Amino acid sequence: GWIVRMPGYGWRFAETVSSPEALSQAMAFRAVIEPAAIAQPSYTLLHEVITRLRDRQQRVLEGEFEKMTLGEMYQCGCDFHEEIIRGAANPFFVESLKRVNSIRRLFAYRSFADRDGMRRHVREHLRLLDVLETGRYAEAAELMAKHLQRPLVAGLS
């Protein structure tokens, strides 16, 4: 989805990739859809999913991120958010987030130099899981909105 075939012949970068505002627009979009997914009346996240996500985030926080490649670190964050949004049981939320994440990947790698920011993000992920586990979805939606409004550097969440 990064390039689009032009009528006739040739290619051009999709508008979502080529504009300087693309990253901030992607984050603004996520700040709308991710909390909205959690706020859905039918939202639920299975205990097994929460446990699996918590275990992964805890390992990252305890230093695993020091051994991860940039791609692995980026994918870990994407997997976390995609799994959270899956709790809405609405494929449009999931597919929209996957699309944004595939485009955001172009911008995000420079974010991983900020190790303190990464630790803060992972702590926010763990806090969100605690709230989701207790079924306080309105509070979880608010936490997600705040989390997405404080990007690590430029695109990691």
Side-chain angles (χ1 to χ4, degrees), residues 7-139:
Y9 85 100
W11 297 87
R12 69 174 171 79
F13 278 97
E15 188 176 321
T16 53
V17 176
S18 59
S19 80
E21 298 83 27
L23 181 60
S24 62
Q25 290 170 343
M27 293 306 293
F29 180 73
R30 288 182 63 207
V32 170
I33 67 164
E34 292 188 53
I38 295 170
Q40 294 298 298
S42 61
Y43 186 88
T44 187
L45 204 57
L46 297 175
H47 178 70
E48 300 82 39
V49 173
I50 292 172
T51 299
R52 181 172 39 84
L53 291 173
R54 182 181 285 119
D55 290 347
R56 177 73 170 135
Q57 294 296 302
Q58 196 62 49
R59 287 194 318 271
V60 170
L61 185 63
E62 291 170 357
E64 187 174 294
F65 74 91
E66 298 287 349
K67 302 172 197 143
M68 296 167 77
T69 67
L70 297 178
E72 290 168 336
M73 291 168 25
Y74 180 77
Q75 193 59 50
C76 181
C78 289
D79 292 345
F80 178 87
H81 284 268
E82 288 170 15
E83 201 64 46
I84 296 297
I85 209 169
R86 225 176 240 107
N90 181 330
F92 291 99
F93 283 124
V94 177
E95 289 305 314
S96 296
L97 182 58
K98 283 183 175 189
R99 170 82 172 159
V100 168
N101 281 341
S102 73
I103 291 169
R104 198 170 57 92
R105 179 180 304 271
L106 294 172
F107 303 99
Y109 288 150
R110 68 176 176 253
S111 303
F112 297 108
D114 181 0
R115 300 296 185 178
D116 291 335
M118 285 189 59
R119 285 184 190 92
R120 181 188 41 133
H121 259 58
V122 172
R123 282 197 235 24
E124 289 175 4
H125 286 175
L126 290 166
R127 173 73 178 123
L128 178 65
L129 290 171
D130 290 343
V131 173
L132 286 169
E133 189 169 42
T134 63
R136 299 183 337 255
Y137 298 130
E139 182 181 344

